Amino acid sequence: SAAVTGHAHVYLDARKAGRATVPAFDLGRVPPGPHRLRVELRSAAHKLIASRDGTAHATLEFDVPAP
């Protein structure tokens, strides 16, 4: 199969935090409390990249402790 070029859209708590073209992404300062991080792989045309079992995305829920 042919390689697909593109990038990742990064969302923190349902708000777009940015776009990543390398494996690392800095969210900056995240306030205390529960959060949800979602990363979606997108083509150069910004369409979701599909895999055999659905779209290529991942979601992580995490808590930042209060200072």
Side-chain angles (χ1 to χ4, degrees):
S1 67
V4 177
T5 59
H7 57 279
H9 285 193
V10 180
Y11 299 88
L12 180 63
D13 301 328
R15 290 186 177 167
K16 190 171 180 185
R19 182 172 62 165
T21 57
V22 296
F25 184 85
D26 186 352
L27 289 171
R29 185 173 217 146
V30 178
H35 298 282
R36 179 177 287 184
L37 179 69
R38 180 177 173 91
V39 178
E40 299 176 345
L41 297 182
R42 301 279 181 148
S43 70
H46 293 273
K47 295 184 181 205
L48 275 171
I49 294 174
S51 64
R52 289 182 186 192
D53 58 352
T55 58
H57 69 273
T59 302
L60 172 71
E61 293 182 357
F62 64 97
D63 288 305
V64 175

